[in-house]
Amino acid sequence: MADSTPPSQETLSNLLHETRSFPPPADLAANANVKADAYDKAAGDRLGFWEEQAHRLQWDQPWDTVLDWQPPFAKWFVNGRLNASVNCVDRHVANGLGDRVAYYWEGEPGDTRTITYAELKDLVSQAANALTELGVTRGDRVAIYMPMIPETIVAMLACARVGAVHMVVFGGFSVDALGQRLDDSQAKLVITADGGYRRGKASALKPAVDAAVADRPAVEKVLVVRRTGQDVEWTDRDVWWHDLVDSQSTEHTPESHDAENPLYIMYTSGTTAKPKGILHTTGGYLTQASYTHWAVFDLKPETDVYWCAADIGWVTGHSYIVYGPLSNAATTVLYEGTPDTPHRGRFWEIIEKYKVTIAYMAPTAIRTFMKWGDDIPAGFDLSSLRVIGSVGEPINPEAYVWYRKHIGGDRTPVVDTWWQTETGAIMVSPLPGVTSGKPGAAMRALPGIVADVVDENGDSVPDGEGGFIVIREPWPSMLRGIWGDPERYRDTYWSRFEGLYFPGDGAKKDEDGDLWLLGRVDDVMLVSGHNISTTEVESALVSHPSVAEAAVVGATDKVTGQAIVGFVILRSGAEEVSEETVKALRDHVGASLGPIAKPARLLAVPELPKTRSGKIMRRLLRDIAENREVGDTSTLTDSSIMDVIAKQLPSAKQDD
Ligand code: ATP
Ligand code: MG
């Protein structure tokens, strides 16, 4: 690929230009929880705005200062006291909402449970009493390694109730991953289950815990929920949940905790490096989780049925299955299993069955559904939906439009929500009653959040240009640090730009000043002096009818600095990209983004390496494209996929 474009000075190229836009439905706009005036109001008095949002919660003692900011360390609602579990459960019961359904739980095999707020209060109280009996008190860390069952949420809330710090580890993580997190957090209790159901089978969990705790004496007890009934090994350290918890009193008097009491540690998925224990505290976190869940999804708790398909082992599950919805007294669907069990319409069947009105899922799932075909969702009644959301990765315009049309009936707004484990809650997103959404854009920082896009020097870029997304002011649900490592906290997030929080993502402002997230800065490709985002090239590839999914990386190239190598899953299922298709795809990308963005090579793959939360791990593909030994694959959904890709791709070797 000959290229004579001169090197440019821009931080990140703005290549994709999107003209489609979808205004909010009139009735939604008229009745929206948040209207357009919220932005200016919050900008005029940011701390006053967050103070007003904190009044969504029930405080045992009011704060005396909204924000104490000793950069980069923040305290919100200083000296305020509250109990997160009381805010999520007890107060709703006290307000007469005890009969409202908190969770419709759907097990993968089709077993179900309906749990009201009154029942949830009893369950959480019993579990809190059990924790106390096990000697768990304020500040202790409790690891939770569970399937997606109600007890997982009960365990989290029971920890919050007694002031212990929960640390949920995704139930599919390996012994090593669990062990590493146990070491780092020094948890004294592990709560687990015999197993859970995934892909139609009982999949064991306890053996991994047994192996992980075998040489970790810091773990005193293992509390085990019986979910599948499969055989388990047993030692004196183990306690059955049904023996210990079910016999406890349903009365438990909650203590109040400081607003800055640690609520949980969540290890980031580790797409980039050694997992970091992100620490969240109570008052500010709950305030922003609650506000954003209500604002971004336009939640009407009396009538909505809300469903977030993420796993609880991911921050999205914490903020938008547990703390956000419960603090708003919402009715939430909780589903244990995978989207293709027992059939590929399972998600749509759940929406039809529970008349879900708000659904929230990841672009990786949406692209998979696109691949499976339009006729699958068409077989279900999805007319109850009124807002649908996306989180986890940039949503390609093509996937957005498909989601809106085939799931949202061309009627529902799509909210593309940008945030990360570290931010604790949504930061940039459309508001469904205000924003005319553009496919692929996260649009604007929410009221009370000050985001910007800057160049290498930290200067704000003009509209129409790309750079790094930064957050200019502290926000209530911001991480309070990395567990046990304040230096890493400073280095990772606060050292790149003086006084600015740096999330590590690229972004651009379009001609209207709306924000588009462009993927991780580490993944940006430098081609002939242009910094090209992976997102734009991948979006161009998936907008071609022959491509179901795509990942691109920059591989070292003698001529251009880096050359773009594209890994594509072809809709036809073909194992090689034919010469015509290579040409068609290169031309298509060239026509969408300009010749600079044309991939130098295109390789067909059966699957892409993804983390548990569905994110493409481009660094592993870069290893392959540059013919290196593949790096750490421990957080992959399926680590064998790298062997499959490497074996299938002798042509990936750089031999020229
Ligand atoms: P690690 O930091 O250990 O590599 P991770 O970043 O994958 O893990 P998360 O905190 O779950 O873990 O993911 C947050 C990241 O996901 C964001 O920084 C961003 O790169 C991406 N992301 C999330 N939502 C969006 C979105 N709506 N648009 C674009 N990117 C998104
Ligand atoms: Mg991250």
Side-chain angles (χ1 to χ4, degrees):
M1 178 172 100
D3 195 287
S4 55
T5 324
S8 85
Q9 294 309 306
E10 71 208 348
T11 303
L12 193 56
S13 297
N14 169 17
L15 301 176
L16 182 80
H17 298 278
E18 175 62 61
T19 51
R20 292 167 289 188
S21 141
F22 301 99
D27 53 337
L28 200 158
N31 300 305
N33 288 349
V34 182
K35 305 239 164 85
D37 61 334
Y39 292 105
D40 284 348
K41 222 179 128 204
D45 177 10
R46 193 173 55 87
L47 296 183
F49 169 83
W50 284 118
E51 188 157 38
E52 195 181 316
Q53 305 318 319
H55 284 299
R56 307 174 61 79
L57 307 178
Q58 174 182 308
W59 295 79
D60 305 324
Q61 179 182 304
W63 54 91
D64 45 38
T65 310
V66 180
L67 170 67
D68 172 9
W69 180 224
Q70 313 286 335
F73 298 98
K75 289 185 183 141
W76 281 84
F77 309 115
V78 182
N79 292 327
R81 298 187 76 82
L82 76 171
N83 185 299
S85 90
V86 169
N87 272 282
C88 287
V89 185
D90 304 42
R91 71 171 165 138
H92 304 317
V93 179
N95 289 340
L97 303 177
D99 291 338
R100 181 176 295 171
V101 173
Y103 291 104
Y104 288 114
W105 175 73
E106 174 93 10
E108 196 189 75
D111 47 340
T112 61
R113 274 172 82 182
T114 299
I115 300 174
T116 64
Y117 275 91
E119 287 163 346
L120 187 60
K121 177 172 179 279
D122 289 350
L123 294 168
V124 172
S125 299
Q126 287 182 311
N129 285 321
L131 290 184
T132 304
E133 189 174 321
L134 291 172
V136 173
T137 56
R138 193 200 310 260
D140 287 340
R141 273 81 60 210
V142 174
I144 299 179
Y145 185 72
M146 295 272 265
M148 291 275 282
I149 55 176
E151 285 82 358
T152 309
I153 295 170
V154 170
M156 291 165 73
L157 294 170
C159 288
R161 198 170 182 90
V162 304
V165 187
H166 60 71
M167 191 269 285
V168 181
V169 179
F170 178 78
F173 272 160
S174 65
V175 175
D176 287 348
L178 174 61
Q180 195 181 24
R181 286 157 176 78
L182 290 174
D183 286 339
D184 193 70
S185 64
Q186 289 294 298
K188 73 190 244 192
L189 173 69
V190 179
I191 306 180
T192 188
D194 48 0
Y197 289 96
R198 267 191 95 71
R199 301 228 139 77
K201 286 199 296 273
S203 117
L205 283 170
K206 179 134 190 312
V209 176
D210 292 342
V213 303
D215 48 3
R216 290 193 169 83
V219 176
E220 294 166 14
K221 289 283 174 201
V222 176
L223 184 56
V224 189
V225 176
R226 186 145 66 202
R227 162 68 184 129
T228 58
Q230 63 201 113
D231 287 339
V232 289
E233 301 276 321
W234 208 253
T235 73
D236 322 337
R237 189 164 38 202
D238 301 326
V239 186
W240 281 115
W241 176 285
H242 53 261
D243 285 342
L244 180 75
V245 180
D246 292 0
S247 57
Q248 300 287 334
S249 161
T250 53
E251 296 300 319
H252 178 270
T253 310
E255 285 171 66
S256 2
H257 303 295
D258 190 274
E260 285 297 332
N261 203 56
L263 181 64
Y264 67 84
I265 302 168
M266 170 92 249
Y267 288 83
T268 55
S269 62
T271 316
T272 38
K274 173 179 175 267
K276 303 177 277 281
I278 303 300
L279 175 67
H280 285 290
T281 60
T282 307
Y285 171 77
L286 203 58
T287 296
Q288 194 174 332
S290 179
Y291 171 71
T292 52
H293 182 251
W294 174 83
V296 170
F297 298 106
D298 190 46
L299 178 81
K300 306 286 194 270
E302 306 77 30
T303 48
D304 276 320
V305 177
Y306 163 84
W307 179 33
C308 168
D311 195 278
I312 294 186
W314 183 28
V315 72
T316 301
H318 283 48
S319 300
Y320 299 107
I321 296 177
V322 182
Y323 291 108
L326 288 178
S327 63
N328 290 326
T331 295
T332 298
V333 173
L334 179 69
Y335 171 55
E336 179 184 32
T338 54
D340 54 356
T341 308
H343 57 79
R344 289 179 164 183
R346 187 66 188 269
F347 271 29
W348 322 127
E349 186 177 70
I350 289 173
I351 290 175
E352 178 179 275
K353 174 174 174 185
Y354 294 102
K355 300 197 169 33
V356 170
T357 57
I358 303 168
Y360 192 29
M361 57 191 75
T364 180
I366 297 165
R367 289 190 301 262
T368 302
F369 299 139
M370 283 175 76
K371 190 163 61 183
W372 288 348
D374 309 349
D375 51 321
I376 297 177
F380 296 88
D381 178 4
L382 306 179
S383 62
S384 52
L385 288 170
R386 59 180 204 92
V387 178
I388 54 180
S390 159
V391 59
E393 280 186 300
I395 181 165
N396 320 104
E398 217 51 35
Y400 176 115
V401 169
W402 185 89
Y403 189 37
R404 183 183 152 95
K405 178 162 176 214
H406 293 280
I407 307 307
D410 243 338
R411 158 190 93 245
T412 61
V414 175
V415 287
D416 172 19
T417 63
W418 176 84
W419 59 297
Q420 42 176 206
T421 306
E422 295 87 338
T423 69
I426 299 170
M427 301 292 278
V428 179
S429 167
L431 286 173
V434 178
T435 317
S436 286
K438 298 175 185 171
M443 301 301 291
R444 277 182 81 172
L446 290 177
I449 301 299
V450 189
D452 198 0
V453 180
V454 299
D455 63 18
E456 270 101 18
N457 305 317
D459 296 325
S460 190
V461 304
D463 290 352
E465 287 193 16
F468 307 104
I469 188 165
V470 294
I471 312 295
R472 291 197 174 277
E473 301 289 346
W475 63 102
S477 64
M478 65 190 280
L479 75 165
R480 298 303 195 264
I482 295 178
W483 185 254
D485 201 343
E487 273 320 300
R488 192 172 178 204
Y489 169 64
R490 233 182 246 282
D491 288 354
T492 311
Y493 307 107
W494 300 94
S495 62
R496 183 72 177 75
F497 303 109
E498 178 76 34
L500 302 179
Y501 173 82
F502 175 51
D505 286 342
K508 72 180 187 190
K509 294 182 199 164
D510 69 13
E511 288 65 21
D512 304 321
D514 293 320
L515 296 179
W516 296 67
L517 274 299
L518 296 181
R520 292 159 191 282
V521 167
D522 303 336
D523 289 336
V524 166
M525 305 173 291
L526 181 64
V527 183
S528 303
H530 289 272
N531 286 307
I532 299 185
S533 83
T534 51
T535 303
E536 292 197 322
V537 182
E538 288 165 6
S539 289
L541 284 168
V542 294
S543 72
H544 189 275
S546 66
V547 177
E549 279 211 73
V552 298
V553 299
T556 310
D557 182 276
K558 288 182 211 96
V559 184
T560 53
Q562 285 188 329
I564 300 178
V565 179
F567 295 80
V568 293
I569 303 179
L570 293 173
R571 277 185 193 278
S572 63
E575 292 177 10
E576 254 175 67
V577 196
S578 68
E579 255 169 62
E580 293 123 83
T581 311
V582 169
K583 180 170 184 317
L585 290 178
R586 294 195 54 204
D587 288 349
H588 179 73
V589 173
S592 324
L593 305 178
I596 187 82
K598 284 185 179 180
R601 284 187 295 161
L602 283 164
L603 305 159
V605 290
E607 257 315 324
L608 291 169
K610 286 180 189 159
T611 64
R612 298 292 182 169
S613 53
K615 294 176 208 286
I616 299 169
M617 281 243 233
R618 293 179 191 75
R619 73 173 162 80
L620 299 178
L621 294 173
R622 210 151 46 226
D623 290 343
I624 292 210
E626 295 187 336
N627 197 19
R628 266 195 310 270
E629 180 145 351
V630 172
D632 180 15
T633 57
S634 60
T635 55
L636 283 184
T637 317
D638 172 7
S639 52
S640 66
I641 189 68
M642 290 316 295
D643 301 333
V644 176
I645 294 175
K647 250 187 229 119
Q648 232 182 293
L649 295 176
S651 55
K653 302 252 153 92
Q654 283 219 318
D655 40 23
D656 47 328

